[in-house]
Amino acid sequence: MTAAAAAVPGPGGSGWLRAMPAVFVLIWSTGFIVARYGMPYAPPLKFLAVRYALSLVCFGVWVVLAKVAWPKARAQWGHLAVTGVLMQAGYLGGVWAAVHAGMGAGLVALLVGVQPVLTAIWLSLNGGRISKRQWAGLVLGFAGLVLVVSRKFGQGAEVNPLTMALAVFALLSITAGTLYQKRFVAPCDVRSASAVQMAAALLVTLPFAAMESQGIEWNAHSTGAMAWSVLALSLGGSSLLYMLIQRGTATAVTSLLYLVPPCTAVMAWLLFAEPITLVTLLGIGLTAVGVSLVVRSER
């Protein structure tokens, strides 16, 4: 059973498949919003370790209740563990640690937004074919991304070797994880696959979380952030990313991440009354056109 088949049963599956990219972008964009609520009350790696543990329990219960098959080949378990370390522990750990160390969320989003460019370059260097239209889309998407988050640079965000290293580590982790999963992970049920990924991420994160001296202060903000992180981001966003990678090519899937910072800017305007300027609207338009060019070329 493939991941898509497991999650999209029945005749209505085609409509859900068409909506998957938009739903993924909306859910993934809330990651930076959640950080604003939960980060002041918890160190990043302890928060993520609890998130991985709770997500593992949820996926495990789901697998048992739905009688989902676990991966049969030992190599498949290993490949899923690698993607879990890269796309969960590496990516999220780098992003949350960079924000906690003082880097602005907009700057982190900009740096991680370079991922589609890195993916396209890697594919082109390894025999892949990136059309002129796709390159134009990648350039437009990146230009729109810079416009959307450019105002963040003037707000005193701290940039130092530590925060830059953490952000670049997150960028390289999710880029490598996406390419690795597309090449080595065979189609399998997204629920059991996600459980394996969460277990691997938890095992890698726990030793580093134990080094953090600050504890988690449980209150309405941190509890709400944790609940959303587990239910929406892990069970929803990570599962959708897994299925999108399985169904599409790496360049088209990673290009969807171009829409995350603009979407986050809109959410911040709605929730926190952060202004959206004409430059932001122009950036959103360029980003949408860029993603459209890449995805249309892939199809």
Side-chain angles (χ1 to χ4, degrees):
M1 180 184 295
T2 65
V8 193
S14 59
W16 164 239
L17 291 176
R18 288 193 295 269
M20 276 172 56
V23 174
F24 165 75
V25 170
L26 289 174
I27 293 177
W28 205 258
S29 299
T30 62
F32 296 103
I33 302 298
V34 167
R36 178 162 180 171
Y37 283 108
M39 185 66 72
Y41 308 100
L45 298 184
K46 282 184 179 176
F47 184 95
L48 290 174
V50 176
R51 169 179 168 176
Y52 299 145
L54 293 176
S55 300
L56 175 59
V57 171
C58 291
F59 276 119
V61 172
W62 196 359
V63 167
V64 172
L65 293 179
K67 298 181 180 179
V68 172
W70 292 94
K72 296 181 179 180
R74 181 179 300 179
Q76 180 79 330
W77 282 76
H79 292 321
L80 288 171
V82 171
T83 58
V85 171
L86 291 172
M87 301 179 70
Q88 296 294 332
Y91 167 66
L92 291 177
V95 167
W96 283 65
V99 173
H100 190 266
M103 179 173 281
L107 181 55
V108 176
L110 174 62
L111 293 173
V112 177
V114 180
Q115 182 201 351
V117 178
L118 292 184
T119 302
I121 293 174
W122 175 265
L123 292 175
S124 64
L125 292 175
N126 287 271
R129 295 183 179 180
I130 307 298
S131 67
K132 292 182 179 179
R133 174 181 288 184
Q134 286 176 298
W135 279 115
L138 290 167
V139 172
L140 282 177
F142 185 69
L145 191 65
V146 172
L147 284 176
V148 169
V149 300
S150 60
R151 61 188 178 88
K152 298 289 185 179
F153 289 103
Q155 297 181 354
E158 296 183 9
V159 179
N160 54 57
L162 174 61
T163 55
M164 283 297 297
L166 290 169
V168 171
F169 177 73
L171 166 63
L172 295 178
S173 293
I174 193 170
T175 302
T178 301
L179 293 169
Y180 187 95
Q181 178 173 322
K182 186 62 184 176
R183 180 172 180 178
F184 293 107
V185 176
C188 59
D189 193 281
V190 65
R191 293 162 289 190
S192 57
S194 296
V196 176
Q197 290 176 327
M198 292 299 167
L202 177 60
L203 289 176
V204 170
T205 304
L206 276 177
F208 297 98
M211 300 178 188
E212 295 176 325
S213 57
Q214 179 187 355
I216 300 178
E217 178 185 344
W218 292 109
N219 53 37
H221 292 279
S222 58
T223 303
M226 182 63 71
W228 183 263
S229 294
V230 172
L231 299 176
L233 293 172
S234 291
L235 272 70
S238 296
S239 298
L240 284 173
L241 179 60
Y242 178 92
M243 289 188 288
L244 287 168
I245 293 174
Q246 287 294 321
R247 295 184 60 83
T249 58
T251 308
V253 173
T254 55
S255 295
L256 291 173
L257 297 178
Y258 271 146
L259 295 174
V260 171
C263 191
T264 302
V266 173
M267 290 182 180
W269 172 65
L270 292 173
L271 296 174
F272 309 126
E274 293 185 4
I276 295 183
T277 64
L278 180 61
V279 173
T280 302
L281 294 176
L282 178 60
I284 292 174
L286 285 175
T287 300
V289 172
V291 172
S292 176
L293 287 174
V294 173
V295 174
R296 189 174 303 172
S297 296
E298 290 286 355
R299 289 177 181 173

